[in-house]
Amino acid sequence: MAPSCTLARMDIHSLQTRLRAFSAERGWEPHQNPKNLAMAMVVEAAELVEIFQWLSPAQAADLASDAARQQHAGEEIADVLVYLLQIADRCGIDVEAAVERKMALNALKYPVPTALSTAAQQVAVIDWRAVDAPARFVHSLLHTGFAVLTHHPIDTALLRRIEDEWDAWLASPAVDNCRFDPLTQDGYVGPERSETAKGQTEKDLKAFFHHYPGGRYPQELSDAALRYRAQAEALAAQLLDWVQQHAPEAARQSFPQPLPEMIAGSRQTLLRILRYPPLRGDEPAGAMRAAAHEDINLLTVLPAAREPGLQVLGRDGLWRDVPGDAGWLVVNTGDMLQEASGGVFPSTTHRVVNPAGEAARRARLAMPLFLHPRPEVRLSARHTAASYLDERLRELGLRAP
Ligand SMILES: O=C(O)CCC(=O)C(=O)O
Ligand SMILES: [Fe+2]
């Protein structure tokens, strides 16, 4: 997004170079630290205000009809801008990049309050094969944190098979042979010690199995989940490529390295197979299948479950069902993409609500794949992937505090 052609015409960088030379020739540099410059800028801003001080709002709006006053205002505006550019120069701030990034963030923070923006908050359903799929996919992620793909390359017959065998396994005593190990972070976690979403008090009403490359896998089961994992991981890598290619300039400038490089050779990508057991009616008040949360990773690939319940929180504060017809694939952004993009890609809050009626008596299976960078990858000035994951796992109670 170009903030304005005026900025481009002005060429901020060469202006800063000229200002530096101007100060050096006059021996002013020792006094021009950011603190003094900021104070001088405020004095100039006050001189600009002084021009308007006793004018009526109508007179102020009509400044152009008073040539002398208009010229005076121009001089004060120039003074303010000159100091501002010098502050940025001394602090090593790239003004153009900072403005672009701020405008992108403002657009996210203050969406246009029209019917159009309500439509923009609907998660897009996109044919993966379409020529414009990558652009539409990234647009939907930017506006809703989610996108849904149809006609994707994941084998849906394989998914049904996984659901059937894992539904039985996750509810069987065999899970005892494969319980969660906090060191390797893989294995089975039962409802009794399931996650407590950040900021929640009740545990989620779910059991799950975590699989990492080369990690433990139930020997009683077929390799269907591993085959799904390979397909999902390849698709997730392609989708991350789409994000890199179609990300707004502000996000691309924020990425410490191209996104595909972050996952190259990663063994951190997590396959989670979830079983939400049928509800018995004696669940603690307020306990939900999956309480409101954000995913930790870059992107999540999630085949639509057979049972409903997945909802996304819109920027308008309303929960909406994520479209999830049979065979569709849900994709959402996670905290790590938000961190790496300087907030341009939102990590959107979602949850799985408890069903009512007949559906409450049925289990719900889901198998998200969480795409993770290698641990040493830098996401931002604050965090590497490892430091970020560590912080979040402690919050979830999956790693000792
Ligand atoms: O069960 C689902 O559909 C979503 C699960 C989820 O959001 C998660 O495990 O992070
Ligand atoms: Fe999630």
Side-chain angles (χ1 to χ4, degrees), residues 206 272 274 276 290 293 295 302 305 310 350 352 364 366 368 370:
K206 68 189 185 192
R272 166 183 283 183
L274 279 151
Y276 304 89
H293 68 280
D295 292 347
L302 173 69
L310 181 62
H350 54 286
V352 180
R364 181 178 184 279
F370 302 108

Side-chain angles (χ1 to χ4, degrees), residues 148-177:
V148 173
L149 295 172
T150 67
H151 302 95
H152 55 78
I154 291 179
D155 176 359
T156 42
L158 191 59
L159 300 177
R160 300 290 89 91
R161 177 163 176 205
I162 298 168
E163 281 173 354
D164 291 341
E165 38 173 52
W166 283 78
D167 185 18
W169 188 84
L170 284 165
S172 77
V175 295
D176 276 335
N177 305 327

Side-chain angles (χ1 to χ4, degrees), residues 249-287:
E249 192 50 35
R252 264 197 298 224
Q253 286 191 4
S254 180
F255 297 151
Q257 62 176 295
L259 299 173
E261 286 176 18
M262 294 188 183
I263 57 157
S266 166
R267 295 175 68 76
Q268 265 56 44
T269 288
L270 165 65
L271 170 63
R272 166 183 283 183
I273 304 203
L274 279 151
R275 180 177 186 272
Y276 304 89
L279 299 174
R280 292 190 311 242
D282 60 353
E283 289 75 21

Side-chain angles (χ1 to χ4, degrees), residues 182-300:
L183 268 185
T184 52
Q185 289 285 314
D186 65 358
Y188 168 83
V189 176
E192 71 291 344
R193 69 154 298 207
S194 187
E195 293 173 325
T196 309
K198 186 177 173 183
Q200 309 289 329
T201 47
E202 294 300 338
K203 288 191 186 315
D204 285 352
L205 303 172
K206 68 189 185 192
F208 57 89
F209 185 88
H210 274 183
H211 175 264
Y212 285 99
R216 289 178 301 159
Y217 186 84
Q219 57 188 17
E220 301 84 359
L221 297 179
S222 80
D223 67 352
L226 297 177
R227 285 190 282 137
Y228 156 64
R229 181 193 167 97
Q231 292 179 11
E233 216 170 330
L235 179 60
Q238 182 199 35
L239 299 177
L240 195 67
D241 237 19
W242 288 7
V243 174
Q244 176 70 40
Q245 280 165 33
H246 291 270
E249 192 50 35
R252 264 197 298 224
Q253 286 191 4
S254 180
F255 297 151
Q257 62 176 295
L259 299 173
E261 286 176 18
M262 294 188 183
I263 57 157
S266 166
R267 295 175 68 76
Q268 265 56 44
T269 288
L270 165 65
L271 170 63
R272 166 183 283 183
I273 304 203
L274 279 151
R275 180 177 186 272
Y276 304 89
L279 299 174
R280 292 190 311 242
D282 60 353
E283 289 75 21
M288 209 182 274
R289 283 191 155 171
H293 68 280
E294 297 83 36
D295 292 347
I296 305 174
N297 45 300
L298 290 167
L299 282 183
T300 303

